[in-house]
Amino acid sequence: MSVPGSLADRLSSALAAHGLILRGGFNFDAGDSAPAGPSGRPARAVMLAGNAGAAYWPHFRRWRESRPADLANPLDTWCREVIGRVARDFGARAVSPSDRPFLPFQQWAMRAEGLRPSPLGILIHPRYGLWHAYRGALLLDAGLPPPHADKPIHLCDACIGKPCMKACPVDAYTPAGFAYEDCLDHVRGPKGGPCRTIGCLDRNACPYGAAYRYAAEVQAFHMKAFAKL
Ligand code: B12
Ligand code: SF4
Ligand code: SF4
């Protein structure tokens, strides 16, 4: 749910300086196993930071140029750095989607923004389509004000043809799930050129959020990281 009030506004401005956005937040319930907040006690609330489209890309690129060419996981490192700094300024504790054991970022996003998964597993947003992601979360010791009640539409419900299920040359996505190994074999193989250069063909087949579609350069970067090319 969208978070009302000035904390959200100030946090949004701090994130915008890096091409990132606030993705909503929520208060943990008594039954949740909340991660530790900045005090070390279970956090009372979480706010998610992420991207819609690839607005972060020029910021990340500039930072990347000043770092060693062989830096491992550069995007993760950049996100930890900038979101970590924002979190410190706001008295919060930052966590990353890559932290082990994995934190339930998609479950948090469903609670924070009311989104639901597309057939590809990626949550679909009414405006951004499949072109968004989560780059970090801020854990807070204090609870958030009551959220605005807004329930976004789920675009996939009314999408009859489901083109996202028809473009993959090896049908890696099916109602049974994502055949990760089949996808990897194809992406790394002789016929995987299109996936390597313009990104996942299934994801690109979704007609929604076209204005937020990542540029080919960005998609190629993510695919390289995913397939360890
Ligand atoms: C492990 C992982 C994967 C594994 C999935 C293995 C598996 N079957 O679980 C693999 C490597 C296959 C994968 C691939 C991708 N992933 Co991934 N992945 C994760 C990661 C790091 C952990 C998932 C997890 O176990 N969480 C712990 C559980 C307890 O949390 P959860 O919220 O309940 O987890 C949900 C997901 O696991 C989801 N799920 C299960 N299988 C799959 C498969 C895919 C493809 C996706 C997207 C989700 C998904 O179902 C769970 C129920 O809600 C998350 C980040 C995170 N911390 O959650 C990103 C995350 C789910 N991935 C994401 C994305 C975008 C992708 C890719 C589509 C693109 C990419 N980054 O390369 C690719 C698909 C490749 C392609 N064809 O292009 C995004 C989704 C964003 C969104 N809008 O919803 C996340 C949230 C990362 C982020 N920074 O935003 N991923
Ligand atoms: S193509 Fe249709 S079903 Fe697939 S993700 Fe887009 S809206 Fe959802
Ligand atoms: S990246 Fe290519 S092989 Fe993998 S699921 Fe997408 S279209 Fe299929």
Side-chain angles (χ1 to χ4, degrees):
M1 300 297 142
S2 57
V3 180
S6 66
L7 169 66
D9 294 342
R10 287 185 292 117
L11 194 47
S12 294
S13 307
L15 292 169
H18 308 288
L20 297 171
I21 57 169
L22 181 62
R23 309 289 319 253
F26 64 90
N27 291 322
F28 289 110
D29 293 330
D32 288 329
S33 57
S39 64
R41 291 189 300 277
R44 295 272 311 281
V46 61
M47 294 175 97
L48 299 176
N51 60 279
Y56 64 93
W57 189 249
H59 300 265
F60 165 64
R61 279 285 300 272
R62 270 197 299 281
W63 173 92
R64 183 74 191 87
E65 280 160 18
S66 65
R67 296 297 190 282
D70 60 353
L71 180 69
N73 306 316
L75 184 58
D76 272 359
T77 308
W78 176 76
C79 290
R80 283 175 204 274
E81 228 179 270
V82 299
I83 296 172
R85 217 161 37 228
V86 170
R88 274 194 302 280
D89 290 346
F90 282 80
R93 184 171 85 87
V95 287
S96 158
S98 324
D99 287 347
R100 304 290 182 111
F102 292 134
L103 289 161
F105 264 79
Q106 284 193 306
Q107 289 180 42
W108 287 352
M110 289 190 254
R111 282 171 76 172
E113 295 186 294
L115 304 184
R116 285 161 51 198
S118 67
L120 304 183
I122 305 170
L123 304 179
I124 188 158
H125 187 279
R127 182 185 309 160
Y128 316 137
L130 302 176
W131 304 105
H132 64 106
Y134 303 90
R135 301 292 167 202
L138 280 71
L139 296 162
L140 304 165
D141 282 334
L144 298 169
H148 298 305
D150 42 7
K151 200 171 186 304
I153 56 157
H154 184 57
L155 294 168
C156 305
D157 283 344
C159 178
I160 307 300
K162 300 213 173 354
C164 65
M165 297 299 277
K166 295 177 182 152
C168 172
V170 293
D171 289 330
Y173 286 101
T174 65
F178 179 42
Y180 175 48
E181 295 297 338
D182 294 352
C183 167
L184 276 184
D185 285 349
H186 180 79
V187 171
R188 291 171 177 162
K191 295 185 179 160
C195 300
R196 290 195 293 269
T197 50
I198 58 161
C200 174
L201 308 182
D202 270 348
R203 191 176 186 180
N204 276 297
C206 177
Y208 293 107
Y212 295 88
R213 188 185 302 271
Y214 302 165
E217 178 194 4
V218 180
Q219 297 209 44
F221 171 88
H222 286 298
M223 190 56 76
K224 197 170 171 188
F226 161 70
K228 299 183 176 59
L229 297 169

